Structures are given as structure tokens and as C-alpha cells.
Amino acid sequence: MPRRTNKLAEVFRTILLGLFFLLFSVASAAQDAAVQLRTVVIDPGHGGHDPGAVSRSSKLSEKQINLDIALQLGRLIERGCPDVKVIYTRRTDRFVELAERGNIANRNHADLFISIHVNSARNTSASGTETFVMGTDKSESNMEVCRRENSVIRLEDDYTTTYEGFDPDNPESYIIFNLMQNAHFEQSIAFASLVEDKFSQNGPITKSRGVRQAPLMVLWRTTMPSVLVEVGFLSNPSDRAVLNQASQRQKIADNIFRAFLAFKAEYDTVEAPVTAAETPVGPHYEIQILASAKKLPEGSSELRGERDVRCRFINGMYKYSVGNFSTREDAMAALPEVRKRFPGAFPVKVDSE
């Protein structure tokens, strides 16, 4: 029996590693991953026969709130940023599979993915907003959200095939996320932080539970900065009173729009370097190869033997880039070769001092 168990474990690891490289190859196909925010995909969570969280009176459902806020947010972006294309995963009360939501963003080469949700908890005193990015923090509070949001896959036909046997209630299934490294993690964190800042500053729900990381299926396969915004707790009387008012939902959409504007303003620009080797002078383009919460030691294997790597500390992350290109077109021409070693690489504009 132990031999059989070990053999099954080895097969499982092989499948996961194969999936890991497959997903990175998908990310490599996104040739226009940065530089200018042109397309945003807005995802109203749940819908159709999946109501999401429901109030005790059953008169208010998450799917209704999500759709209203998403449509209002889209209208604000269309009016305020006519150069940005807005795409919705749904415009009406219909069911969309979790995998398809991310696929819509990938097919349209989106530069940002925003999934709108309403929270719920057994503890009715829990309240406030929180914004999630794709990550592997499996704390109990995060896993409560994960189990609730990921369990939607059970409403899909043949979900075990679509999600490679993933079981939202089985902790072992989340091993798969430990193999994932979102190439746009730091950008997702940056946008999530802006969202929570706007919520805490302008209300109508001012309690922010902060930016969190969790293995959420809807963010799993997106190949661009992606967040899941929980705009309040339907299980909390105070939050529910806010979410039940159209005028307050408008304010929530407005706060996300304010965060969008701030993120868009920063999207094209990389700050001047804190530490860099042979840093070019003047505006130019480079290719970002990776980002890390901790500074990598000299000669780190993560750099894969790459020389002349520049390091900048931006928004709490160490960002590593290579190359010096006078135009975006030149950077894009060099990108395929760089992605052979760093599949998640993308071009960035740098305004050096």
C-alpha cells in the first residue's frame, strides 16, 4: 500500500508540474501585457442559478449587488476614460463558469481584471471591505472566503475535468496553487491597495480589512493584474443596510473607479531606481523579468544567469529588469527571446533621473 500511495503522489506531482508550465506558456502569449492600460474586464460575481450570498430575508442577493456595482463601474470608466475598452463577463442575470470568466479576460488581452463580490460569514459581526489577489495564504479567514467562492464550480458541468480534479473543500487540492507565481503579482497588489485606500477614505463602508492573498479559482488563470473585491458583508446588518441602497452602491463603484484612475496614471511609469547597475539616463523601455518581496542575493538562481540586471524597489517590491530600448516597439521585438528564460516578462516604461 505505501508503494502505491507514493506512486499516486508522484503522478499527482507530475500532473501539477505539467499544468504549471502550461499556465506559464499561456502567460507568455500575452505579448501586450503592460505599458498602457487599454482594456479592462469587469466580472460581476455569481449570477443565474448561482445567487451567491443571500440575506436572511432572501430579498437581497449577492448576484444583484455585484451586477449593479459592476455596470456602474463600467459606465464610469467609459465616460471618464474613453481610450479604455470595457468588457463584462456578464451584463445580465446569467451564470458564467469560473474558468470562463478568466478566459474572457485572456481572450481579450485585458490589462486589468476586476471581479466584484459581496462577502458573507457565519460570524455576523464580521464587516468591512477586503480585496484579494491570487496567492497562497491559507489562513482560516481567507480559506472561508476561498471555500465559499471556489465552491461555485460544483454548479458547473463536469467541473472535475475543467479544474483537473480540484476539490474546494480538500486542503490537498490547494497544493496546485503553491506552484503558481503570478507574473503580475506586484501590479495586482498595487491596484488592490488603491481600492482599499479609496474605500477607507470615502466610504460608505469605511472599515477596510486590507489586501489579502488567497487561492481563488476566478483569479487562477488570468494573465494580467487581477483582483477580487469584496465590497462588504451581506451577513452584517450595518453593511447590508449600505449594500441595499442604490445610492450607496454608486459610491462603492465610484471608489473603485477612483482607484482605477490612480492605477492607470501609474501603469505606464516605473519610478527612478534605488539600486541599479549601468542605469540608462532619460526615458526608455526595459523588460521586467520578475519581482520579489525580498531582495535576491547576488548570483541568485532566480535570475537564471542573466547579467546586467537592474533592481528597483517600488511599492514594497524589488523589481528586476533587463535591456535598454528607446521605443516600445524595440522592447517588444526583444521580448520573445527574454521570455524563453522568463515566461512572465513584460515591457515597462522607465523615467530615469
Side-chain angles (χ1 to χ4, degrees):
M1 183 63 70
R3 287 185 178 179
R4 185 177 181 183
T5 300
N6 291 337
K7 185 175 292 186
L8 288 173
E10 183 63 32
V11 171
F12 187 52
R13 282 194 294 270
T14 301
I15 292 173
L16 291 180
L17 286 172
L19 179 61
F20 169 74
F21 288 113
L22 173 63
L23 293 177
F24 258 146
S25 68
V26 172
S28 300
Q31 295 289 317
D32 221 6
V35 177
Q36 184 178 348
L37 206 166
R38 300 183 184 89
T39 304
V40 57
V41 169
I42 303 175
D43 171 46
H46 306 279
H49 60 275
D50 170 26
V54 180
S55 64
R56 286 187 175 182
S57 66
S58 299
K59 293 181 179 180
L60 188 63
S61 67
E62 178 184 356
K63 68 176 184 178
Q64 299 168 311
I65 298 170
N66 295 343
L67 183 59
D68 184 35
I69 293 174
L71 293 175
Q72 292 194 59
L73 172 61
R75 286 192 289 268
L76 287 169
I77 294 174
E78 287 171 337
R79 289 199 297 264
C81 306
D83 59 322
V84 175
K85 183 178 181 180
V86 177
I87 297 171
Y88 302 92
T89 58
R90 68 179 180 97
R91 288 174 172 269
T92 58
D93 182 17
R94 68 184 186 90
F95 180 74
V96 182
E97 296 182 351
L98 287 185
E100 177 59 14
R101 295 169 189 266
N103 289 340
I104 290 171
N106 293 339
R107 285 197 302 269
N108 287 281
H109 305 292
D111 300 299
L112 182 63
F113 178 82
I114 308 172
S115 189
I116 308 294
H117 287 257
V118 176
N119 224 328
S120 182
R122 291 184 294 271
N123 180 3
T124 58
S125 66
S127 65
T129 66
E130 54 190 2
T131 301
F132 285 86
V133 302
M134 178 65 195
T136 56
D137 182 353
K138 297 191 289 292
S139 63
E140 184 56 36
S141 60
N142 288 357
M143 287 307 294
E144 183 176 352
V145 174
C146 285
R147 283 189 289 268
R148 179 168 52 81
E149 299 294 359
N150 291 341
S151 65
V152 173
I153 67 174
R154 291 201 178 94
L155 300 177
E156 303 177 15
D157 295 332
D158 197 18
Y159 74 86
T160 57
T161 300
T162 303
Y163 302 98
E164 291 88 22
F166 178 83
D167 180 354
D169 290 329
N170 185 353
E172 293 183 1
S173 287
Y174 288 90
I175 293 173
I176 191 171
F177 293 103
N178 291 329
L179 298 175
M180 294 294 297
Q181 180 181 354
N182 190 333
H184 301 286
F185 175 79
E186 75 280 3
Q187 291 172 308
S188 300
I189 288 285
F191 180 65
S193 299
L194 287 168
V195 171
E196 288 303 309
D197 285 346
K198 299 304 179 185
F199 281 155
S200 62
Q201 293 169 8
N202 304 308
I205 298 173
T206 57
K207 178 182 177 180
S208 170
R209 295 162 62 92
V211 175
R212 302 194 175 200
Q213 300 178 39
L216 292 160
M217 298 296 293
V218 73
L219 304 180
W220 180 25
R221 291 173 174 171
T222 55
T223 57
M224 72 289 301
S226 305
V227 302
L228 184 150
V229 185
E230 298 276 9
V231 299
F233 280 78
L234 198 57
S235 51
N236 179 271
S238 178
D239 284 9
R240 184 168 60 249
V242 170
L243 297 170
N244 195 31
Q245 299 179 53
S247 61
Q248 302 292 56
R249 294 195 295 270
Q250 174 66 54
K251 291 180 181 178
I252 291 171
D254 186 64
N255 281 328
I256 301 175
F257 174 60
R258 290 169 184 263
F260 176 85
L261 289 177
F263 182 72
K264 188 176 188 302
E266 295 289 335
Y267 199 74
D268 293 358
T269 306
V270 175
E271 297 172 15
V274 174
T275 60
E278 300 182 10
T279 303
V281 177
H284 63 283
Y285 290 86
E286 297 178 8
I287 297 176
Q288 184 171 314
I289 56 176
L290 57 86
S292 173
K294 296 182 180 180
K295 189 172 184 179
L296 299 176
E298 187 174 351
S300 170
S301 60
E302 295 290 326
L303 298 175
R304 301 171 194 176
E306 187 73 34
R307 297 181 179 180
D308 299 325
V309 177
R310 302 178 190 89
C311 174
R312 296 175 174 85
F313 186 71
I314 305 170
N315 294 328
M317 300 289 291
Y318 291 94
K319 301 184 181 183
Y320 295 84
S321 60
V322 297
N324 173 17
F325 308 96
S326 58
T327 67
R328 177 179 177 278
E329 288 71 23
D330 290 342
M332 292 299 294
L335 187 60
E337 186 64 29
V338 176
R339 279 184 167 168
K340 291 179 181 179
R341 301 185 302 282
F342 303 92
F346 56 91
V348 292
K349 184 180 179 182
V350 180
D351 293 321
S352 298
E353 292 182 342

